[in-house]
Amino acid sequence: MARRIHSESALLLLFCVSQLTFLADGFSLAPSASQLRSRLPSLRSQRHGLCATSMVLSREATETAESPQKGGMTVPGGTEAELEPRRSSKPPVGIIDLLTKYAWGQQKPNIPLPINVVEGQPPEPQNVVTQEHLDTLREDGVVHVKGVLSKEWIEYLRANTEWQIEHPHIWAVPGVASGLYDYIQRSAWTTNEGFANFLYYSPAASVLGKMAECGWFPEGDERGYHEIRVSTDLLMVNPNKGFKWHQDNQNGPLTSGHGGKLDALRFWVTMDDTPAEYGAPVYLRKSHNNNYVGKDEVFVSLEDGDLPKYADDVVEFRPKAGDMLIWHPRSIHKVDGAPGGDWQGKKRRVLGGTVAIDDAHYQGKKKALFSDMGSHNLQQGDPLRSPFFPIIFPRSDPEERKWRAEGRVGRSMEGFGRMVRSLFTTENFSQFSSWTQVVASAQKVASVNEPFLKDRKE
């Protein structure tokens, strides 16, 4: 009996810690204590077998459709002309669910790649990037690259995403429990073979390699090619509440343009067409040049510092399935969710993240980094060359692929301890402060941020 209670207490502790980590991940506050009490089933009842209720935090879809088949591969979602499955995008996160429905280690969906691949070959080439794309990224700090993925690659990425939702990983619990997304999981490439293979072999890596020619990364220009490494990825399905104006903070152990040379790019790969009325990412052009937002800040008010000079130059993107957005890590942007969090059976699935470019160096000192919780031996200033941050362009490395397949690059207790210790540094208190300051002035921020600035009446 004592052992069972200890197990339940450990799971409850995991849940509470996961809420703390999601807060520090730069997205939102965890639910309040009263909200948690209303959501958590009674542990006493569970011990007596009287309550196995899952803690479902959003309305589930009421219909389920069979997925179309293509080439022996399940294709959830299909195309616009096909019926979109209306299965729930949100797994339950009750105590019993953590024990019975979530994976804790490596996962292999066994979904065939859409192209014939010889292991270790370069990523599929893609020639959609033009000089205009490069100039736009350099000048505006963000660019929309259309038509990166073929229909087959879109279907592959959707299939892996639907499989992941149906077989959730324990590292998705913080985001799912927060209610901000139906499903969100960081570092999915470390645990899910399907996403790792996408990064190794899809045209997305080739496009990132080409976009690095925008003029920000001279060392690769001089060498004649750019090296692209995965710093972190983030699988996101249906933002329910949206995120107000912010800069990306959880980019991994990189400078990301703060206090040193630029060593990173941010990216989105979209799996669905953006709805016409909502869900569009919105950026402030040229805001990557601002002199106000520090490296430890996340959420911002557009009335502070020199941000007002960028506030009226707003660009809204409505990417379609297979498109990419690529931007400077310091660019100020936001995403609004569906009204009331109701996507009306639609889905907005994205694989995003940060890549390290060329001669990046490890910058993990005093940072609470949820993309850097592995048991590596990198020290501050070391070259960022490690299986924990694998190269994907010009081609992946066999030894790094082997480490991932063996489960040696995922999150660890050692890495978790390093992250927890760093939570109590001055830098991370500053990060939390930027969030709470904006929340405390929510009415002021709302008047500045809503509706879209381009629609404001003067």
Side-chain angles (χ1 to χ4, degrees):
M1 182 67 173
R3 179 179 299 177
R4 188 170 184 179
I5 295 174
H6 176 75
S7 175
E8 290 171 341
S9 299
L11 282 169
L12 183 57
L13 175 62
L14 171 64
F15 182 84
C16 294
V17 169
S18 73
Q19 297 298 296
L20 173 63
T21 61
F22 196 69
L23 163 61
D25 212 2
F27 287 105
S28 173
L29 283 173
S32 66
S34 61
Q35 288 173 317
L36 282 176
R37 284 194 296 271
S38 68
R39 292 173 181 176
L40 281 171
S42 166
L43 290 179
R44 178 180 299 176
S45 298
Q46 285 191 19
R47 286 198 297 271
H48 289 86
L50 299 178
C51 177
T53 304
S54 298
M55 187 166 48
V56 181
L57 304 183
S58 73
R59 181 183 63 83
E60 295 188 356
T62 57
E63 299 177 22
T64 302
E66 291 297 323
S67 301
Q69 299 289 321
K70 182 176 179 65
M73 177 174 62
T74 301
V75 184
T79 65
E80 280 191 319
E82 296 168 335
L83 178 63
E84 180 74 14
R86 296 194 66 181
R87 64 171 67 94
S88 173
S89 297
K90 191 166 190 176
V93 287
I95 298 297
I96 299 301
D97 301 308
L98 297 182
L99 283 172
T100 61
K101 298 180 180 179
Y102 282 75
W104 293 67
Q106 295 297 105
Q107 295 181 293
K108 295 184 67 172
N110 293 320
I111 296 171
L113 284 159
I115 60 173
N116 293 323
V117 168
V118 177
E119 187 176 5
Q121 73 178 43
E124 184 177 329
Q126 177 55 278
N127 298 317
V128 296
V129 176
T130 67
Q131 186 61 46
E132 183 179 0
H133 287 116
L134 299 175
D135 294 343
T136 300
L137 178 61
R138 184 177 63 254
E139 294 299 321
D140 292 351
V142 59
V143 68
H144 180 189
V145 183
K146 300 178 180 180
V148 172
L149 300 185
S150 66
K151 178 181 177 180
E152 290 73 24
W153 273 113
I154 295 170
E155 292 170 346
Y156 173 80
L157 197 52
R158 285 175 173 175
N160 278 282
T161 299
E162 294 303 310
W163 188 96
Q164 186 67 81
I165 294 169
E166 293 169 6
H167 304 83
H169 198 276
I170 195 64
W171 289 116
V173 171
V176 175
S178 75
L180 292 179
Y181 278 85
D182 281 357
Y183 191 89
I184 183 169
Q185 181 180 336
R186 185 173 294 279
S187 300
W189 74 270
T190 64
T191 56
N192 185 313
E193 181 183 62
F195 294 113
N197 284 335
F198 177 83
L199 293 171
Y200 294 151
Y201 301 119
S202 82
S206 298
V207 167
L208 288 165
K210 184 65 178 178
M211 289 305 307
E213 297 177 15
C214 66
W216 288 339
F217 308 100
E219 60 269 32
D221 294 337
E222 295 173 4
R223 187 170 50 225
Y225 66 92
H226 294 271
E227 291 188 355
I228 309 296
R229 288 182 172 270
V230 178
S231 178
T232 181
D233 70 0
L234 192 63
L235 178 64
M236 299 167 279
V237 179
N238 289 5
N240 292 316
K241 301 178 182 178
F243 301 104
K244 298 307 178 186
W245 296 110
H246 66 282
Q247 73 169 356
D248 295 309
N249 185 274
Q250 282 292 323
N251 294 307
L254 303 166
T255 68
S256 300
H258 289 283
K261 73 178 183 68
L262 180 64
D263 53 7
L265 286 174
R266 292 282 298 170
F267 72 92
W268 260 27
V269 183
T270 55
M271 302 177 225
D272 305 281
D273 293 359
T274 305
E277 301 83 13
Y278 51 83
V282 185
Y283 290 75
L284 302 185
R285 284 192 181 97
K286 307 183 190 309
S287 60
H288 62 292
N289 296 317
N290 81 82
N291 296 315
Y292 175 72
V293 183
K295 66 183 178 66
D296 300 312
E297 295 178 86
V298 182
F299 294 92
V300 301
S301 168
L302 300 190
E303 293 185 342
D304 293 342
D306 63 347
L307 295 183
K309 66 187 277 189
Y310 306 103
D312 290 323
D313 194 359
V314 177
V315 58
E316 175 185 295
F317 297 105
R318 294 199 174 275
K320 294 184 177 295
D323 292 356
M324 289 185 72
L325 294 179
I326 300 169
W327 66 96
H328 191 292
R330 297 191 66 228
S331 291
I332 305 300
H333 58 288
K334 71 169 184 172
V335 179
D336 289 305
D342 184 1
W343 285 82
Q344 300 177 355
K346 299 176 182 178
K347 291 186 180 177
R348 212 290 315 271
R349 295 163 286 193
V350 170
L351 182 65
T354 305
V355 289
I357 312 293
D358 294 330
D359 301 332
H361 292 81
Y362 183 76
Q363 304 290 330
K365 186 177 181 181
K366 298 182 180 179
K367 290 184 178 181
L369 296 170
F370 301 92
S371 56
D372 183 25
M373 290 171 58
S375 298
H376 59 70
N377 58 2
L378 292 173
Q379 301 297 316
Q380 184 76 5
D382 285 351
L384 196 73
R385 298 178 181 275
S386 165
F388 292 83
F389 307 97
I391 189 169
I392 57 173
F393 186 87
R395 69 170 67 202
S396 58
D397 178 86
E399 189 66 18
E400 291 178 353
R401 294 196 309 274
K402 180 181 177 182
W403 273 54
R404 195 221 68 83
E406 293 174 350
R408 298 164 66 184
V409 299
R411 293 170 171 179
S412 66
M413 289 306 298
E414 175 188 336
F416 181 76
R418 182 174 66 244
M419 183 274 298
V420 170
R421 289 191 297 273
S422 67
L423 283 173
F424 300 98
T425 63
T426 302
E427 289 80 358
N428 286 294
F429 281 125
S430 174
Q431 175 181 329
F432 296 149
S433 175
S434 79
W435 198 97
T436 55
Q437 286 172 9
V438 171
V439 171
S441 58
Q443 294 301 319
K444 172 184 172 184
V445 173
S447 68
V448 176
N449 294 350
E450 296 176 348
F452 294 156
L453 290 178
K454 66 181 180 61
D455 295 329
R456 272 170 47 196
K457 295 181 179 180
E458 299 298 332

